[in-house]
Amino acid sequence: LTLLALSSNPIEPAGSNAIYQEAKLRPLYLKTFDPLCDSMIAMYKRNPEITNIETSTMNNGGEEACMYLCAALRFNTTVTNLNFTYSLLREQGFKCLADALRVDSTIICFTFVRNMMTERGIVSLSEALQANKTLKTLDLRYNTIQSEWLKHLSAALCVNSTLTAMHLNGSRLGD
């Protein structure tokens, strides 16, 4: 098994725990709606070959779930793609992800589509981009990014030499 996709399902944490623990799955692509479940974090730590994590439509746990996942990412040596599409994260969750990106040396693609961006989140991301030396693609599509926040991203892009693509499509820039 190389893909386990559970996003957008009404599965309770106990159900996803059973799937992860009983099946002894070892996916390379971990896609879940609830990264708060201890078993998902345990699976990630137990399976160092996981290269993609997608937590789209994260509706249980939110900010706290993100912090658990970011804590697990401190041990990351293989995850290259991190996707938080429509995860309903706010400032604290985004700051946690930015902190993880700041020190990570393997993530090359970070997707944060359709979330609730704040200026503090953009500042955190900009600071992470200045320090990160591996990220190549940043996808911020369909977020509302106010025009005065763009100065933070611009400053980061002047320093970061590894980022080759930034997607801002549908981001209502300047609203």
Side-chain angles (χ1 to χ4, degrees):
L1 182 70
T2 58
L3 168 63
L4 174 62
L6 297 175
S7 62
S8 300
N9 280 296
I11 300 171
E12 294 295 320
S16 56
N17 279 341
I19 292 168
Y20 291 129
Q21 290 173 352
E22 298 302 321
K24 306 270 190 278
L25 298 172
R26 297 180 62 83
L28 296 177
Y29 187 100
L30 184 58
K31 182 175 180 176
T32 181
F33 82 108
D34 188 10
L36 185 58
C37 352
D38 292 334
S39 61
M40 190 284 267
I41 300 299
M43 185 198 303
Y44 168 67
K45 287 182 179 178
R46 185 171 74 229
N47 294 286
E49 63 274 6
I50 291 174
T51 58
N52 298 279
I53 296 179
E54 181 174 331
T55 59
S56 61
T57 321
M58 181 171 39
N59 54 11
N60 286 338
E63 305 281 296
E64 186 179 0
C66 182
M67 288 185 239
Y68 278 96
L69 183 57
C70 289
L73 284 171
R74 292 183 197 276
F75 306 100
N76 178 30
T77 59
T78 60
V79 173
T80 57
N81 296 294
L82 189 57
N83 185 333
F84 276 76
T85 296
Y86 201 67
S87 56
L88 306 178
L89 294 179
R90 297 181 192 265
E91 189 169 310
Q92 188 58 36
F94 195 70
K95 182 180 182 322
C96 180
L97 287 169
D99 289 345
L101 282 175
R102 182 177 290 114
V103 297
D104 188 87
S105 62
T106 59
I107 295 173
I108 58 172
C109 181
F110 176 59
T111 303
F112 197 73
V113 174
R114 293 191 187 271
N115 285 284
M116 300 173 188
M117 299 293 289
T118 65
E119 182 173 16
R120 187 62 220 149
I122 290 288
V123 168
S124 296
L125 175 62
S126 299
E127 291 169 353
L129 287 174
Q130 290 180 27
N132 184 284
K133 303 293 183 228
T134 56
L135 193 67
K136 293 179 188 269
T137 302
L138 177 62
D139 190 346
L140 299 175
R141 288 176 293 144
Y142 299 100
N143 286 289
T144 298
I145 300 175
Q146 296 183 16
S147 55
E148 64 267 15
W149 304 354
L150 292 174
K151 67 181 179 221
H152 303 295
L153 282 175
S154 296
L157 293 175
C158 289
V159 175
N160 184 300
S161 62
T162 57
L163 195 67
T164 58
M166 181 163 51
H167 302 277
L168 295 170
N169 317 48
S171 288
R172 298 173 32 194
L173 299 174
D175 283 358

